[in-house]
Amino acid sequence: MTSINYYPNEPTKPIVKTSNVPGPESQKQLEQLDKVFDARAAYFVADYEKSDGNYIFDVDGNAYLDLYAQIASIALGYNNPALIKAAQSPEMIRALVDRPAPGNFPSADMAKILAKILQFAPKGQDHVWSGLSGADANELAFKAAFMYYRARERGYETEFSAEENVSVMENAAPGAPDLAVLSFKKAFHGRLFASGSTTVSKPIHKLDFPAFDWPHAEYPTYRYPLEKYEEENHKEDDRCLEIVEQLIKTWKSPVAALIIEPIQSEGGDNHASKYFLQKLRDITLKYNVVYIIDEVQTGVGATGKNWCHEYADIQPPVDLVTFSKKMQSAGYFFHDPKFIPNKPYRQFNTWCGEPARMIIAGAIVQEIIDHDLTSQVNRVGDYLFKKLEALQTQYPAKFQNLRGKNRGTFIAWDLPTPTERDTLLKKLRLHGCNVGGCSTNSVRLRPTLTFDEKHVDIFIDALSKCVTEL
Amino acid sequence: MTSINYYPNEPTKPIVKTSNVPGPESQKQLEQLDKVFDARAAYFVADYEKSDGNYIFDVDGNAYLDLYAQIASIALGYNNPALIKAAQSPEMIRALVDRPAPGNFPSADMAKILAKILQFAPKGQDHVWSGLSGADANELAFKAAFMYYRARERGYETEFSAEENVSVMENAAPGAPDLAVLSFKKAFHGRLFASGSTTVSKPIHKLDFPAFDWPHAEYPTYRYPLEKYEEENHKEDDRCLEIVEQLIKTWKSPVAALIIEPIQSEGGDNHASKYFLQKLRDITLKYNVVYIIDEVQTGVGATGKNWCHEYADIQPPVDLVTFSKKMQSAGYFFHDPKFIPNKPYRQFNTWCGEPARMIIAGAIVQEIIDHDLTSQVNRVGDYLFKKLEALQTQYPAKFQNLRGKNRGTFIAWDLPTPTERDTLLKKLRLHGCNVGGCSTNSVRLRPTLTFDEKHVDIFIDALSKCVTEL
């Protein structure tokens, strides 16, 4: 029951030297930065040289306990020694200075790098294809899904028809078929054009961009605590499943794939039950729809399993699982070899991923395995959740829909209004805790996997103070 | 008139130890690799540790003079000392182990990193937004273009309407407007869904993927040598310009942006004249179309200018210039501040580029500037082109449409058939020269910027031998 102690020099508590965040030095640097970058959304300018473990420093010398971790994308903490070692390795230098086009000129290092990532593949998956970001991972998965879907229709080995070869060059069917990906309201799958068409989080993420005419089903909205509302929530699952099935049956174009987050993260930490995720498997099998799980934010240990959807033990395993963020690399896992297209150069691009980030990903998952960090996350998550339940009892209005029990540190709750949520996050920063929001009035906790009980105590102490000030 | 000599240990000539490429050790490793990667398109397994300067080694100990350079994406050669230094810098270690979400938590290093990239901005551009790959750069540019286009219609400061906010969540107009990007036949702008809709290179790049219904104009097809066919080629420009204008006027949806490569690279090294590129500026201004130049393959010195479209001295400067490949980082340059959206979080994502690659990009452009490598490219390109003209005189059928005169080492020519082209490339590898093709029967030369006269002599010697064997 001990925590890995990577960070002997981590601060013992937050340091807040300035009366405002951003402080004066951050403000000065942000003014400069804004001349060459869009810095309007910046909270402060970070000093990553000083940042250590679970503490992020800013250029004013403030040190925040970080429960946001670069929008949920730092797995182990700042300046982790195992990652520094990987960053200084000869393999890394080669990856940085001699970046291959691995489809044509793979490196002798590549099989080893991929093997390290594959040891962390979700249960039921044993292949990986690499990309560059969450949006890229999802779009590569869509490409794999569309090719698979059409291959099943025409036969995997069947040659393309003359009509397909001609029409595709005009962006027209049958070569460029009118197929859809079904996603869910409040989903976030990225901000490129196809991924953006499956994203339904906020208008500001989508406005002014042309979109594919693809359907959005309803994602279940549960009542909390789950154990109290089992029957109601089950009915909610069935209501949403009915919508999914109807959309697949009636949408104006064939639904080739379905993509879902096991917990909708940007959209408000909305959880899907084991029952719901399994039923989607049944429906996708019934209608020959490729089943894609988006683990970009939920993956890599923070829920207490390597991959959140493993809680649902979906059988047979889903077709594609996408990842990014805390993996630092990105891509999709799969197991059916027919997701490898029938010809080369179809799932292809110059870089086929980023070898430097694939090396980092290998080092991250090795640390998670070697130090059994998911066990730590479960233990610390339980400890944290109980403390939050106690606060909820004390301030029920400020801790609505507390959720993420038995999901490690992947915890969220709602404030009554967006203003109160924003005020709380601001106060928390002034108390030395960097915390993020999601949806309009939710707080989401996204600490690293090395966050432990002493960090929980500091956070709960700050939170208690801030809540009374609301 | 000297060449920078980074590589004192570079082989003095190619080494070919095996009678086939891939050799036996490559074949063995490719069989293993194919279990975890799609290695069907691999030429050989490279040994990047041994690779040096303009020579790429494989795991059989063969050393090829590299005129393909990872699909035109290695600027300075293998294991360049300046890049190794950058890869070992404290800034790089930080970028690798503490990757920021810079929109929210920019690093204190960021302004400096961006300034290094911006010193290499094309003439007329002074801002940059960073992405991850060529496809990503183009799609980010499309997003910028669509926001700019709609902002001009509704007013930059005007709030979104309720109807826009509602319709966009259903992927419908007016929030998700039906706008088009016009590109050109034979273009290559990437393989994601929006970029893929502007790509018209080969069916295999596009088949089975839904596409936006966007128009493709005709790219001029010139007769060579250019100086002999000026009048004909001018007429060809006018013919294609007329098609562009007609498409903009009559396409089923408004054309918000036009994207063009100054030399279509994957599509066959098709060049566009100064006149053509300037006329497109006139047309895009006339119809309020955003003008995007794609310099993903043509940029970063290989044509003898930092950016190929600078030859055309387009006035007023184009709106957006996209880059990737030899920059190693990616993104778009711009100059009109209204290409920064009216609100934050519109052009936004977790990583906003890859800081490790931005550091490498800064080191690459610094070397190009410090050693005036574009002058070297021009000198070596002239030397190479003259040698190829001599071969053309000797074997006119095997050197059709020799092109790229006064465009540095960015040179190509056509073989009579795809089979002869493929045979030539295969023979060249067996003679120790790694060369790529483009389109169906073109050879494209894409050496690094440090390729010099001694390399030309070796290549021409091998080429002369191979051509006689065809």
Side-chain angles (χ1 to χ4, degrees), chain A residues 378-419:
Chain A
N378 280 317
R379 189 192 76 219
V380 175
D382 286 350
Y383 182 76
L384 171 57
F385 199 86
K386 287 199 181 84
K387 299 256 177 186
L388 290 167
E389 283 180 320
L391 280 174
Q392 187 186 35
T393 307
Q394 216 175 339
Y395 309 100
K398 311 298 185 196
F399 289 88
Q400 297 174 19
N401 301 315
L402 179 64
R403 51 204 183 271
K405 191 174 183 177
N406 301 321
R407 289 295 177 273
T409 55
F410 209 95
I411 294 170
W413 70 90
D414 300 338
L415 274 291
T417 64
T419 309

Short mmCIF file of all heavy atoms in Angstrom, two decimals, chain A residues 378-419:
data_model
loop_
_atom_site.label_atom_id
_atom_site.label_comp_id
_atom_site.label_asym_id
_atom_site.label_seq_id
_atom_site.Cartn_x
_atom_site.Cartn_y
_atom_site.Cartn_z
N ASN A 378 -6.53 3.11 -8.04
CA ASN A 378 -7.76 2.62 -7.41
C ASN A 378 -7.81 2.96 -5.92
O ASN A 378 -8.83 3.41 -5.41
CB ASN A 378 -7.88 1.10 -7.60
CG ASN A 378 -8.40 0.76 -8.98
OD1 ASN A 378 -9.33 1.41 -9.47
ND2 ASN A 378 -7.80 -0.22 -9.62
N ARG A 379 -6.68 2.74 -5.26
CA ARG A 379 -6.62 3.00 -3.83
C ARG A 379 -6.83 4.50 -3.56
O ARG A 379 -7.66 4.90 -2.74
CB ARG A 379 -5.25 2.55 -3.31
CG ARG A 379 -5.09 2.55 -1.82
CD ARG A 379 -3.62 2.37 -1.45
NE ARG A 379 -2.89 3.61 -1.68
CZ ARG A 379 -1.65 3.68 -2.18
NH1 ARG A 379 -0.99 2.59 -2.53
NH2 ARG A 379 -1.08 4.85 -2.33
N VAL A 380 -6.09 5.32 -4.29
CA VAL A 380 -6.17 6.77 -4.08
C VAL A 380 -7.54 7.30 -4.52
O VAL A 380 -8.11 8.18 -3.88
CB VAL A 380 -5.02 7.49 -4.83
CG1 VAL A 380 -5.15 9.00 -4.72
CG2 VAL A 380 -3.67 7.02 -4.28
N GLY A 381 -8.07 6.71 -5.60
CA GLY A 381 -9.39 7.13 -6.07
C GLY A 381 -10.46 6.87 -5.02
O GLY A 381 -11.32 7.73 -4.78
N ASP A 382 -10.40 5.71 -4.38
CA ASP A 382 -11.37 5.40 -3.31
C ASP A 382 -11.26 6.41 -2.17
O ASP A 382 -12.26 6.91 -1.65
CB ASP A 382 -11.12 3.99 -2.75
CG ASP A 382 -11.58 2.91 -3.71
OD1 ASP A 382 -12.26 3.25 -4.70
OD2 ASP A 382 -11.26 1.73 -3.46
N TYR A 383 -10.03 6.67 -1.79
CA TYR A 383 -9.76 7.61 -0.70
C TYR A 383 -10.33 8.99 -1.05
O TYR A 383 -11.02 9.63 -0.24
CB TYR A 383 -8.25 7.66 -0.49
CG TYR A 383 -7.78 8.54 0.64
CD1 TYR A 383 -7.89 8.14 1.97
CD2 TYR A 383 -7.18 9.78 0.38
CE1 TYR A 383 -7.43 8.94 3.01
CE2 TYR A 383 -6.72 10.58 1.40
CZ TYR A 383 -6.85 10.17 2.72
OH TYR A 383 -6.39 10.97 3.74
N LEU A 384 -10.07 9.42 -2.28
CA LEU A 384 -10.54 10.72 -2.75
C LEU A 384 -12.06 10.76 -2.83
O LEU A 384 -12.70 11.74 -2.40
CB LEU A 384 -9.90 11.00 -4.13
CG LEU A 384 -10.39 12.20 -4.95
CD1 LEU A 384 -10.24 13.50 -4.16
CD2 LEU A 384 -9.58 12.31 -6.25
N PHE A 385 -12.64 9.70 -3.36
CA PHE A 385 -14.10 9.71 -3.54
C PHE A 385 -14.82 9.80 -2.20
O PHE A 385 -15.80 10.54 -2.05
CB PHE A 385 -14.56 8.46 -4.31
CG PHE A 385 -15.92 8.62 -4.93
CD1 PHE A 385 -16.07 9.20 -6.19
CD2 PHE A 385 -17.07 8.23 -4.25
CE1 PHE A 385 -17.32 9.38 -6.75
CE2 PHE A 385 -18.33 8.42 -4.80
CZ PHE A 385 -18.46 8.99 -6.06
N LYS A 386 -14.31 9.07 -1.20
CA LYS A 386 -14.93 9.11 0.14
C LYS A 386 -14.87 10.52 0.73
O LYS A 386 -15.82 11.00 1.34
CB LYS A 386 -14.24 8.11 1.06
CG LYS A 386 -14.60 6.67 0.75
CD LYS A 386 -14.30 5.73 1.92
CE LYS A 386 -14.65 4.29 1.56
NZ LYS A 386 -13.54 3.62 0.82
N LYS A 387 -13.74 11.18 0.53
CA LYS A 387 -13.62 12.56 1.04
C LYS A 387 -14.61 13.48 0.33
O LYS A 387 -15.18 14.39 0.95
CB LYS A 387 -12.20 13.08 0.79
CG LYS A 387 -11.11 12.28 1.49
CD LYS A 387 -10.59 13.01 2.71
CE LYS A 387 -9.55 12.16 3.43
NZ LYS A 387 -9.13 12.76 4.69
N LEU A 388 -14.80 13.24 -0.96
CA LEU A 388 -15.75 14.08 -1.70
C LEU A 388 -17.19 13.78 -1.28
O LEU A 388 -18.02 14.68 -1.20
CB LEU A 388 -15.57 13.87 -3.21
CG LEU A 388 -14.27 14.44 -3.79
CD1 LEU A 388 -14.01 13.91 -5.19
CD2 LEU A 388 -14.30 15.98 -3.79
N GLU A 389 -17.45 12.51 -0.99
CA GLU A 389 -18.79 12.17 -0.49
C GLU A 389 -19.08 12.89 0.83
O GLU A 389 -20.20 13.36 1.07
CB GLU A 389 -18.91 10.65 -0.29
CG GLU A 389 -19.12 9.89 -1.59
CD GLU A 389 -19.24 8.38 -1.38
OE1 GLU A 389 -18.49 7.83 -0.54
OE2 GLU A 389 -20.07 7.75 -2.06
N ALA A 390 -18.04 12.98 1.66
CA ALA A 390 -18.22 13.68 2.93
C ALA A 390 -18.54 15.16 2.68
O ALA A 390 -19.44 15.74 3.31
CB ALA A 390 -16.97 13.53 3.79
N LEU A 391 -17.82 15.76 1.73
CA LEU A 391 -18.10 17.16 1.40
C LEU A 391 -19.50 17.30 0.80
O LEU A 391 -20.21 18.28 1.06
CB LEU A 391 -17.06 17.69 0.41
CG LEU A 391 -15.72 18.13 1.00
CD1 LEU A 391 -14.74 18.50 -0.11
CD2 LEU A 391 -15.90 19.32 1.96
N GLN A 392 -19.89 16.31 0.02
CA GLN A 392 -21.22 16.33 -0.59
C GLN A 392 -22.31 16.34 0.48
O GLN A 392 -23.30 17.06 0.38
CB GLN A 392 -21.39 15.11 -1.50
CG GLN A 392 -22.67 15.13 -2.33
CD GLN A 392 -22.86 13.84 -3.10
OE1 GLN A 392 -22.49 12.76 -2.64
NE2 GLN A 392 -23.42 13.94 -4.29
N THR A 393 -22.10 15.53 1.51
CA THR A 393 -23.06 15.48 2.61
C THR A 393 -23.18 16.86 3.26
O THR A 393 -24.27 17.32 3.60
CB THR A 393 -22.59 14.45 3.66
OG1 THR A 393 -22.36 13.21 2.99
CG2 THR A 393 -23.63 14.26 4.75
N GLN A 394 -22.02 17.51 3.37
CA GLN A 394 -21.99 18.82 4.01
C GLN A 394 -22.56 19.92 3.10
O GLN A 394 -23.27 20.81 3.57
CB GLN A 394 -20.53 19.15 4.34
CG GLN A 394 -20.34 19.89 5.64
CD GLN A 394 -18.84 20.07 5.94
OE1 GLN A 394 -17.99 19.33 5.43
NE2 GLN A 394 -18.53 21.05 6.79
N TYR A 395 -22.23 19.86 1.81
CA TYR A 395 -22.65 20.90 0.85
C TYR A 395 -23.31 20.26 -0.37
O TYR A 395 -22.75 20.27 -1.47
CB TYR A 395 -21.44 21.71 0.37
CG TYR A 395 -20.56 22.26 1.45
CD1 TYR A 395 -19.37 21.62 1.79
CD2 TYR A 395 -20.91 23.44 2.14
CE1 TYR A 395 -18.54 22.13 2.79
CE2 TYR A 395 -20.09 23.95 3.14
CZ TYR A 395 -18.91 23.28 3.46
OH TYR A 395 -18.09 23.79 4.44
N PRO A 396 -24.48 19.68 -0.20
CA PRO A 396 -25.07 18.91 -1.32
C PRO A 396 -25.27 19.74 -2.59
O PRO A 396 -25.09 19.23 -3.69
CB PRO A 396 -26.40 18.42 -0.74
CG PRO A 396 -26.64 19.20 0.50
CD PRO A 396 -25.31 19.66 1.01
N ALA A 397 -25.59 21.01 -2.46
CA ALA A 397 -25.86 21.82 -3.66
C ALA A 397 -24.60 22.03 -4.49
O ALA A 397 -24.67 22.22 -5.70
CB ALA A 397 -26.46 23.17 -3.26
N LYS A 398 -23.44 22.02 -3.82
CA LYS A 398 -22.18 22.29 -4.52
C LYS A 398 -21.52 21.01 -5.04
O LYS A 398 -20.45 21.08 -5.66
CB LYS A 398 -21.19 23.01 -3.59
CG LYS A 398 -21.76 24.21 -2.85
CD LYS A 398 -22.22 25.31 -3.78
CE LYS A 398 -22.67 26.54 -2.96
NZ LYS A 398 -23.47 27.46 -3.79
N PHE A 399 -22.10 19.88 -4.74
CA PHE A 399 -21.52 18.60 -5.18
C PHE A 399 -22.61 17.72 -5.78
O PHE A 399 -22.86 16.62 -5.32
CB PHE A 399 -20.82 17.89 -4.01
CG PHE A 399 -19.55 18.56 -3.58
CD1 PHE A 399 -19.56 19.57 -2.62
CD2 PHE A 399 -18.33 18.21 -4.15
CE1 PHE A 399 -18.38 20.21 -2.24
CE2 PHE A 399 -17.16 18.83 -3.77
CZ PHE A 399 -17.18 19.84 -2.82
N GLN A 400 -23.25 18.23 -6.81
CA GLN A 400 -24.33 17.47 -7.44
C GLN A 400 -23.76 16.40 -8.37
O GLN A 400 -22.74 16.59 -9.01
CB GLN A 400 -25.22 18.43 -8.24
CG GLN A 400 -25.91 19.47 -7.35
CD GLN A 400 -26.68 20.50 -8.16
OE1 GLN A 400 -27.01 20.26 -9.32
NE2 GLN A 400 -26.98 21.64 -7.55
N ASN A 401 -24.47 15.29 -8.41
CA ASN A 401 -24.11 14.21 -9.35
C ASN A 401 -22.65 13.80 -9.23
O ASN A 401 -21.95 13.63 -10.24
CB ASN A 401 -24.42 14.62 -10.79
CG ASN A 401 -25.88 14.96 -10.99
OD1 ASN A 401 -26.76 14.23 -10.51
ND2 ASN A 401 -26.16 16.08 -11.64
N LEU A 402 -22.18 13.69 -8.02
CA LEU A 402 -20.81 13.22 -7.81
C LEU A 402 -20.67 11.85 -8.48
O LEU A 402 -21.46 10.95 -8.22
CB LEU A 402 -20.53 13.12 -6.31
CG LEU A 402 -19.14 12.61 -5.92
CD1 LEU A 402 -18.04 13.57 -6.37
CD2 LEU A 402 -19.07 12.39 -4.40
N ARG A 403 -19.67 11.71 -9.35
CA ARG A 403 -19.59 10.48 -10.15
C ARG A 403 -18.14 10.07 -10.38
O ARG A 403 -17.23 10.89 -10.32
CB ARG A 403 -20.33 10.65 -11.48
CG ARG A 403 -19.95 11.88 -12.28
CD ARG A 403 -21.10 12.27 -13.24
NE ARG A 403 -20.77 13.40 -14.10
CZ ARG A 403 -20.96 14.68 -13.77
NH1 ARG A 403 -21.47 15.02 -12.60
NH2 ARG A 403 -20.64 15.64 -14.62
N GLY A 404 -17.98 8.77 -10.62
CA GLY A 404 -16.65 8.23 -10.82
C GLY A 404 -16.25 7.28 -9.69
O GLY A 404 -15.09 6.94 -9.54
N LYS A 405 -17.25 6.85 -8.90
CA LYS A 405 -16.98 5.87 -7.84
C LYS A 405 -16.47 4.58 -8.49
O LYS A 405 -17.02 4.13 -9.50
CB LYS A 405 -18.27 5.59 -7.08
CG LYS A 405 -18.06 4.79 -5.81
CD LYS A 405 -19.36 4.67 -5.03
CE LYS A 405 -19.14 3.94 -3.71
NZ LYS A 405 -20.38 3.88 -2.93
N ASN A 406 -15.42 4.02 -7.93
CA ASN A 406 -14.79 2.81 -8.50
C ASN A 406 -14.26 3.05 -9.91
O ASN A 406 -14.17 2.12 -10.70
CB ASN A 406 -15.77 1.63 -8.53
CG ASN A 406 -16.28 1.30 -7.15
OD1 ASN A 406 -15.51 1.34 -6.18
ND2 ASN A 406 -17.56 0.99 -7.03
N ARG A 407 -13.94 4.27 -10.22
CA ARG A 407 -13.31 4.59 -11.50
C ARG A 407 -12.03 5.39 -11.25
O ARG A 407 -11.76 6.40 -11.89
CB ARG A 407 -14.26 5.37 -12.41
CG ARG A 407 -15.43 4.55 -12.96
CD ARG A 407 -14.97 3.43 -13.89
NE ARG A 407 -16.08 2.62 -14.37
CZ ARG A 407 -16.59 1.56 -13.73
NH1 ARG A 407 -16.08 1.18 -12.56
NH2 ARG A 407 -17.59 0.88 -14.25
N GLY A 408 -11.26 4.90 -10.27
CA GLY A 408 -9.98 5.52 -9.98
C GLY A 408 -10.15 6.97 -9.59
O GLY A 408 -11.06 7.32 -8.83
N THR A 409 -9.30 7.82 -10.14
CA THR A 409 -9.37 9.26 -9.83
C THR A 409 -10.15 10.02 -10.90
O THR A 409 -10.11 11.24 -10.94
CB THR A 409 -7.95 9.85 -9.73
OG1 THR A 409 -7.25 9.55 -10.94
CG2 THR A 409 -7.19 9.25 -8.56
N PHE A 410 -10.83 9.28 -11.77
CA PHE A 410 -11.57 9.90 -12.88
C PHE A 410 -12.94 10.34 -12.35
O PHE A 410 -13.96 9.68 -12.58
CB PHE A 410 -11.71 8.88 -14.00
CG PHE A 410 -11.80 9.47 -15.39
CD1 PHE A 410 -10.65 9.59 -16.17
CD2 PHE A 410 -13.00 9.90 -15.92
CE1 PHE A 410 -10.72 10.11 -17.46
CE2 PHE A 410 -13.07 10.42 -17.20
CZ PHE A 410 -11.93 10.53 -17.98
N ILE A 411 -12.94 11.43 -11.63
CA ILE A 411 -14.09 11.84 -10.81
C ILE A 411 -14.57 13.22 -11.25
O ILE A 411 -13.77 14.06 -11.67
CB ILE A 411 -13.67 11.86 -9.31
CG1 ILE A 411 -13.35 10.42 -8.86
CG2 ILE A 411 -14.74 12.49 -8.44
CD1 ILE A 411 -12.69 10.33 -7.50
N ALA A 412 -15.88 13.43 -11.16
CA ALA A 412 -16.45 14.73 -11.52
C ALA A 412 -17.69 14.99 -10.69
O ALA A 412 -18.24 14.08 -10.07
CB ALA A 412 -16.80 14.76 -13.01
N TRP A 413 -18.09 16.24 -10.64
CA TRP A 413 -19.38 16.60 -10.05
C TRP A 413 -19.85 17.91 -10.66
O TRP A 413 -19.08 18.56 -11.38
CB TRP A 413 -19.30 16.68 -8.51
CG TRP A 413 -18.52 17.85 -7.99
CD1 TRP A 413 -19.00 19.10 -7.70
CD2 TRP A 413 -17.12 17.88 -7.70
NE1 TRP A 413 -17.98 19.90 -7.25
CE2 TRP A 413 -16.82 19.18 -7.23
CE3 TRP A 413 -16.08 16.95 -7.79
CZ2 TRP A 413 -15.52 19.57 -6.87
CZ3 TRP A 413 -14.79 17.34 -7.42
CH2 TRP A 413 -14.53 18.62 -6.96
N ASP A 414 -21.08 18.29 -10.36
CA ASP A 414 -21.64 19.50 -10.95
C ASP A 414 -21.85 20.59 -9.91
O ASP A 414 -22.23 20.31 -8.77
CB ASP A 414 -23.01 19.20 -11.60
CG ASP A 414 -22.91 18.16 -12.69
OD1 ASP A 414 -21.81 17.99 -13.24
OD2 ASP A 414 -23.94 17.51 -12.97
N LEU A 415 -21.64 21.82 -10.35
CA LEU A 415 -22.05 22.99 -9.57
C LEU A 415 -23.42 23.43 -10.08
O LEU A 415 -23.83 23.06 -11.18
CB LEU A 415 -21.03 24.12 -9.74
CG LEU A 415 -19.80 24.14 -8.83
CD1 LEU A 415 -20.20 24.45 -7.38
CD2 LEU A 415 -19.01 22.85 -8.90
N PRO A 416 -24.12 24.25 -9.30
CA PRO A 416 -25.46 24.66 -9.75
C PRO A 416 -25.43 25.47 -11.05
O PRO A 416 -26.35 25.36 -11.86
CB PRO A 416 -25.98 25.52 -8.59
CG PRO A 416 -25.17 25.10 -7.40
CD PRO A 416 -23.83 24.71 -7.94
N THR A 417 -24.40 26.28 -11.26
CA THR A 417 -24.36 27.14 -12.45
C THR A 417 -22.95 27.18 -13.03
O THR A 417 -21.97 26.91 -12.31
CB THR A 417 -24.74 28.60 -12.10
OG1 THR A 417 -23.73 29.11 -11.20
CG2 THR A 417 -26.10 28.69 -11.44
N PRO A 418 -22.84 27.55 -14.31
CA PRO A 418 -21.51 27.73 -14.90
C PRO A 418 -20.69 28.77 -14.15
O PRO A 418 -19.48 28.60 -13.97
CB PRO A 418 -21.82 28.21 -16.32
CG PRO A 418 -23.19 27.69 -16.62
CD PRO A 418 -23.92 27.71 -15.31
N THR A 419 -21.33 29.84 -13.69
CA THR A 419 -20.59 30.88 -12.99
C THR A 419 -19.98 30.35 -11.71
O THR A 419 -18.81 30.61 -11.41
CB THR A 419 -21.53 32.07 -12.66
OG1 THR A 419 -22.21 32.44 -13.86
CG2 THR A 419 -20.76 33.25 -12.11
#
